[in-house]
Amino acid sequence: MTRRVVITGGSSGIGLATARRFVDDGDDVVICGRSENKLEAAKAQLGQVECHRVDVSDQQAVEALFDAVGPVDVLVANAGICRQARLDDANSDEVWRDSFRINVDGVYYSVKAAAESMPDGGSIITVSSGLGKNARAGYEAYTASKHAVLGLTKCVALELADRNIRANAVCPGWVDTPMSRGDVAESARRAGVSEQQFRKESVDAIPLGRMVQPEDVADLIYFLSSDDARAITGQSYNISCGEFFN
Ligand code: NAD
């Protein structure tokens, strides 16, 4: 059966790989993102996909997206940002607000709008992070926002269970995407080491000796959306090449 699937932040990284996974399965895929150029590039790669330029932190725009798209069987609430700021950094308040606007409000608006018309038996997958369970100095905003995504996902799972709509979260470790590359560059700058060195030390600390690839996460998301995961709801799954979170 062809499913209607919406993936927020589907023009890059994990979202793009996830869109490819569902397109390959023959599903009817809609992606949204903030950048028209990235959406066009994604469409050129994916072919059969509907693209919408939407900022998920804008509730009206999110509601308009789901009104236009109609009932969706699967929502992947993936769009997010990762910005570091220590408490005494000049921009820490701005980073805090931006992180919550996009990573928390954006997921809430997407889930709320999708749930309204989602058919019974649908599936919601949110993208949290290993930092949705753990902590790292200088990542207060990101970490708190990803913890919030897990709380939201568990409540949504309970609320929608009587419609047999399942809601689960994925918690990736380091995934090789534009986001993590930017974060490695920032961490290296803060640590006063080269990007190459910081990346090597990070990868050396991963038991399987490599970063997670976006396709690895896409496969997990796809599984959680599928009937094979019919007894799974309200859960969060680490995908980290062996790093332990809680
Ligand atoms: P990415 O930067 O490659 O892609 C992020 C996507 O989100 C892009 O398509 C971007 O356009 C979109 N986006 C950002 N802000 C948006 C907004 N306001 N409205 C609509 N779209 C918006 O990053 P990624 O690594 O693929 O990250 C995807 C998700 O995975 C994020 O939620 C991120 O926090 C999470 N995550 C990533 C990693 C990692 O190591 N890369 C680890 C754990 C969790």
Side-chain angles (χ1 to χ4, degrees):
M1 190 194 78
T2 302
R3 299 175 298 172
R4 188 109 164 116
V5 181
V6 170
I7 300 165
T8 68
S11 60
S12 174
I14 294 169
L16 179 61
T18 304
R20 190 176 297 116
R21 181 68 184 80
F22 281 96
V23 167
D24 287 350
D25 183 55
D27 287 318
D28 179 11
V29 176
V30 178
I31 61 172
C32 79
R34 275 192 304 190
S35 150
E36 195 70 56
N37 289 349
K38 281 204 224 160
L39 285 167
E40 276 170 21
K43 183 158 179 63
Q45 283 184 48
L46 296 169
Q48 284 290 45
V49 69
E50 194 179 312
C51 300
H52 293 260
R53 185 157 171 262
V54 174
D55 181 337
V56 293
S57 69
D58 176 346
Q59 188 169 19
Q60 282 187 344
V62 172
E63 286 171 356
L65 168 72
F66 284 93
D67 284 347
V69 161
V72 302
D73 302 292
V74 179
L75 167 69
V76 183
N78 162 77
I81 59 165
C82 176
R83 290 176 64 194
Q84 299 184 36
R86 297 181 69 89
L87 298 175
D88 57 359
D89 281 351
N91 66 344
S92 58
D93 293 352
E94 178 199 324
V95 169
W96 179 269
R97 280 191 294 270
D98 284 351
S99 302
F100 271 73
R101 258 187 335 102
I102 297 172
N103 296 358
V104 184
D105 295 354
V107 172
Y108 170 70
Y109 299 150
S110 304
V111 167
K112 186 176 179 188
E116 198 181 328
S117 58
M118 184 173 274
D120 292 3
S123 176
I124 295 168
I125 295 103
T126 58
V127 180
S128 176
S129 168
L131 287 177
K133 298 176 172 179
N134 276 1
R136 194 181 294 152
Y139 286 75
E140 281 82 356
Y142 184 74
T143 298
S145 73
K146 292 300 185 178
H147 274 68
V149 169
L150 292 184
L152 169 64
T153 307
K154 287 189 271 191
C155 292
V156 167
L158 294 176
E159 186 170 330
L160 301 182
D162 61 356
R163 290 163 55 192
N164 193 30
I165 292 174
R166 298 176 299 102
N168 293 290
V170 296
C171 296
W174 284 103
V175 188
D176 193 11
T177 69
M179 176 186 285
S180 68
R181 277 169 233 141
D183 193 45
V184 164
E186 171 70 5
S187 298
R189 190 187 65 74
R190 285 174 181 261
V193 298
S194 70
E195 274 181 54
Q196 202 182 15
Q197 183 182 342
F198 189 89
R199 189 180 168 95
K200 183 180 179 317
E201 285 170 8
S202 302
V203 171
D204 285 349
I206 300 172
L208 287 183
R210 69 169 179 91
M211 282 194 177
V212 178
Q213 293 303 310
E215 292 73 19
D216 300 325
V217 186
D219 284 345
L220 176 59
I221 290 172
Y222 184 85
F223 163 73
L224 288 171
S225 80
S226 76
D227 194 49
D228 289 344
R230 59 194 169 276
I232 300 174
T233 194
Q235 308 304 311
S236 58
Y237 285 84
N238 302 341
I239 175 160
S240 61
C241 287
E243 287 188 281
F244 287 105
F245 311 137
N246 287 339

